[in-house]
Structure formats: C-alpha cells, structure tokens
Amino acid sequence: MVNSITIIRPDDWHLHVRDGEQLRAVLPYTAKQFARAIIMPNLKPPVVTTAMALAYHARILAVLPAALKSAFEPLMTLYLTDNTQPEEIFRAKTSGIVQGVKLYPAGATTNSDAGVTDIAKCYATLEAMETHDLPLLVHGEVTDPAIDVFDKEKVFIDRVLVPLVQRFPHLRIVFEHVTTRDAVAFVKEASSFIAATITAHHLLLNRNVLFQGGIRPHYFCLPILKRETHRQALVEAAISGNPKFFLGTDSAPHSQANKENACGCAGIFTAHAAIELYATAFEQVGALEKLEAFASFHGADFYQLPRNNSYITLNREKWTVPEQYEFSGEKLIPLYANTELNWKAVDAPVKMH
Ligand code: NCD
Ligand code: ZN
C-alpha cells in the first residue's frame, strides 16, 4: 500500500474565492495547496473588464498571507456579457494576468444574471478571442426552463457547443465542471482545442446524496450531481491520462445561512481539502499514480503556461474535517464536515523517491 506520494504542485483551473472578508477567509486553503488558480469572475458586480480583473487581482494578492505570497498566483478571467467588446479581448490578452473569458448563460447559476442571453451576440468578441488565442471557459448548461435540470448539460452540448465549435474551430474552449457521460464523450471526440475540468465532488458523489434521509443543501451545486453512470464516466476520464481532462475544484463557498435556506444557494466548498478529495477519488479506483498528470500537468499544458517546479506531498494520515469554518462572521460548512479523510497534504521542498 502506498503511504505517501509526492507530486508537482497542482493548479486549480476553476475556483470561486469571492471578495472582501470572505476572500480573506477562503483564499489560504487554496494557496496552501495550489500554485495557481483560475479565479471565477462572478462577483457582484461581475468582473467584466480588464481593469476590474486587475483590481480584483490586486485585492487577492493583498489578502494572501505573507508566507504564501510568492507561492501562489491568481489567474484572472473576464465575465462575458452580451456587450463585451472585441477591444476588451485585446486588452485582456495583453494584460498578462487574464487567462480566459467565462461564458455564463444568463440565469444559469449563482450571479449569472449579467451573463450571455444569446451567444450570437458575442460572435465578434469570440472571433477576437480566437484570433488572440484567449480561451473561452464555459458553464455548459442551457437555461431553457422546459429542459429537465438533469439534462441541461447534454442539451447545451447539442444546442450551443457543437455549433460554437464549428463556427470557431481554433477557439480554445474549456468545458468547465463536466458532469455527464455525454460531456466526456463530446470532449474526447472534439479537436485538441477542447478540454474540460472535473470537480472532486462530481468524482466522489452521485445525486443520491442530495436526498439521503432528507434534503441535503450542502450537496447542492450547479451543474447538479448526476446519476452513478455519469460519475463513473467522469472517473474514467480523470484517470485515463487523456490531457483534455484536468483538475478544477469549482469550490464555491456560501454561508451556512445561505445554503440552509428555503431557496439555498448552489455551490460546494471543497478548498479546505481539495487535493485530498481528488486523491481519495483516484485511490478508490486504484489510480493514484494518475493523479499528478491530471492535477499538475494537463491544465498547465492546455493553458500554455509552464508546469510548476515545486512539490506537494500527500501522506496517508487520518484527519477529521472540521464541522465548520469561519467565513467573515458567518459559518461555512465544508464538504465532508465531521468526516474522516485518509490523506493529508503537506509541502514538499524537494521530490523524494
Ligand atoms: C458557483 C458559485 O457559487 O459561484 N456555484 C456552483 O454551484 N458551482 C457558480 C458556478 O460555478 O456555477
Ligand atoms: Zn464555478
């Protein structure tokens, strides 16, 4: 039995860290484990310009604990709207800090009201992204209320993604947090310009947990957890070694009060144990040796950024996830609160064999 693995320090290619005191509360969990993270722009108001992304970048660096200052780099994104101009893409690309533009179909998820109402309105901007080679990051769910919530991702592929890829064959696209067998098949068959992130919670859980003994708001996220066959397809993709699939936690903190609510927010907080949760999922299928490429190589390669050169060690060590974390005067309930995990991450200055 393997009791310790050392891997190149991973990156989180999809992360929500919020702003202000909430940002200060959650950022250290990610910065302790990951060298870089793609920071989602769905603030209120959303990060729609390069100037806003630069300001957000500065706020993130300002709350990074001193010990982590040189160890962590936030990679910024712009929030695509119907009105995003092609000139903004040039500014973003040349800023050196913006690594992608996020497409939220309007109304699809938390703080997406300002999102895109009709992708056709963005064609000129998408063309600029294709020209300047700035990746499009996609929340792949339709918002049509007639579509069953469990089918929204599949219908998005057919209605939006397939035509988009045909129109912009050289636009790099990250299909974020894929949750279905259909999405895995689409990405596998698509060109090398198309990749996908997979969350730890979609690797570990199927939709049954949503209703285990009652309704469980802390398992509610978007895209919603799917049935077991889909979870298995995600695990197969993650451990396949296929460079199109890489780590993106979609850790999305909301206060306990906003989760345990008659209209609870979507989002699962996983940053407290992100790499440990992935290690758990990979070990369950005997594929721990596949973790490093998924967590530390494939994303950097797709984003055309250098691979990291520091390390992290995961030790087989039991610890219990706290019941809650502090969240700007409120409580934050993490995934697997009060539950024992078998892996614990620590810094590794050098690779040990
Ligand atoms: C995210 C959030 O809370 O910002 N929620 C979620 O369930 N994943 C938004 C998102 O990525 O869809
Ligand atoms: Zn997200």
Side-chain angles (χ1 to χ4, degrees):
M1 186 157 68
V2 176
N3 287 319
S4 177
I5 59 165
T6 294
I7 60 172
I8 287 278
R9 185 170 288 265
D11 301 305
D12 184 348
W13 298 100
H14 182 127
L15 176 69
H16 301 267
V17 288
R18 314 306 186 202
D19 210 346
E21 286 307 306
Q22 294 185 342
L23 166 65
R24 189 189 296 278
V26 296
L27 185 65
Y29 299 109
T30 295
K32 261 194 321 199
Q33 300 196 333
F34 294 93
R36 296 170 292 203
I38 285 274
I39 307 294
M40 285 296 127
N42 62 331
L43 303 181
K44 283 186 208 165
V47 180
V48 294
T49 62
T50 305
M52 291 173 87
L54 280 161
Y56 189 24
H57 183 256
R59 294 199 297 282
I60 294 170
L61 293 182
V63 299
L64 251 188
L68 298 169
K69 279 248 185 306
S70 57
F72 178 73
E73 186 188 357
L75 308 174
M76 308 312 289
T77 58
L78 295 192
Y79 183 114
L80 186 67
T81 74
D82 291 352
N83 301 315
T84 307
Q85 299 300 310
E87 301 79 63
E88 195 59 52
I89 299 308
F90 180 72
R91 273 195 288 277
K93 180 73 187 185
T94 50
S95 72
I97 60 131
V98 176
Q99 298 293 343
V101 178
K102 178 71 189 256
L103 163 62
Y104 288 105
T109 186
T110 308
N111 297 346
S112 62
D113 298 346
V116 172
T117 61
D118 175 3
I119 191 80
K121 295 189 170 160
C122 301
Y123 283 165
T125 302
L126 293 168
E127 199 179 313
M129 289 168 61
E130 188 178 43
T131 304
H132 295 297
D133 198 18
L134 189 62
L136 177 71
L137 320 184
V138 176
H139 183 109
E141 289 193 292
V142 290
T143 54
D144 182 345
I147 303 299
D148 189 280
V149 64
F150 293 99
D151 298 334
K152 284 178 182 225
E153 186 173 277
K154 158 129 186 58
V155 175
F156 184 89
I157 297 170
D158 301 337
R159 286 193 191 168
V160 183
L161 217 40
V162 168
L164 192 69
V165 168
Q166 267 164 14
R167 183 175 280 264
F168 302 104
H170 295 128
L171 176 63
R172 272 187 291 152
I173 298 177
V174 184
F175 193 168
E176 302 279 16
H177 43 52
V178 288
T179 62
T180 57
R181 191 170 277 281
D182 313 272
V184 167
F186 169 80
V187 171
K188 278 202 317 214
E189 286 156 27
S191 80
S192 62
F193 286 82
I194 314 299
T197 57
I198 306 179
T199 77
H201 45 281
H202 288 100
L203 290 175
L204 288 164
L205 302 167
N206 68 38
R207 65 190 190 180
N208 284 351
V209 296
L210 282 161
F211 309 110
Q212 221 165 51
I215 192 151
R216 302 280 191 157
H218 297 292
Y219 292 117
F220 175 54
C221 64
L222 290 172
I224 198 158
L225 294 170
K226 302 298 192 296
R227 61 167 71 230
E228 178 62 10
T229 174
H230 294 297
R231 188 192 69 81
Q232 287 171 4
L234 300 177
V235 171
E236 284 161 24
I239 68 167
S240 67
N242 185 330
K244 287 167 162 281
F245 297 99
F246 43 86
L247 184 158
T249 62
D250 196 14
S251 178
H254 293 278
S255 70
Q256 180 178 28
N258 283 339
K259 293 287 294 174
E260 299 175 14
N261 191 294
C263 187
C265 292
I268 300 179
F269 180 66
T270 54
H272 62 295
I275 196 66
E276 291 93 340
L277 293 169
Y278 282 101
T280 304
F282 276 61
E283 183 173 43
Q284 275 173 8
V285 288
L288 258 186
E289 79 284 359
K290 301 286 190 172
L291 181 63
E292 183 177 41
F294 174 80
S296 313
F297 298 162
H298 297 165
D301 296 351
F302 187 81
Y303 275 89
Q304 300 173 359
L305 293 168
R307 292 180 181 182
N308 298 315
N309 50 26
S310 56
Y311 296 89
I312 185 172
T313 293
L314 283 148
N315 291 322
R316 188 179 299 282
E317 176 189 324
K318 290 194 187 302
W319 65 290
T320 302
V321 174
E323 187 180 352
Q324 64 197 41
Y325 291 101
E326 198 281 326
F327 191 49
S328 180
E330 298 192 87
K331 290 176 182 165
L332 176 59
I333 309 297
L335 182 66
Y336 290 162
N338 284 323
T339 304
E340 198 171 72
L341 295 182
N342 289 330
W343 291 96
K344 187 85 190 109
V346 292
D347 277 338
V350 289
K351 178 139 186 158
M352 316 259 273
H353 287 282

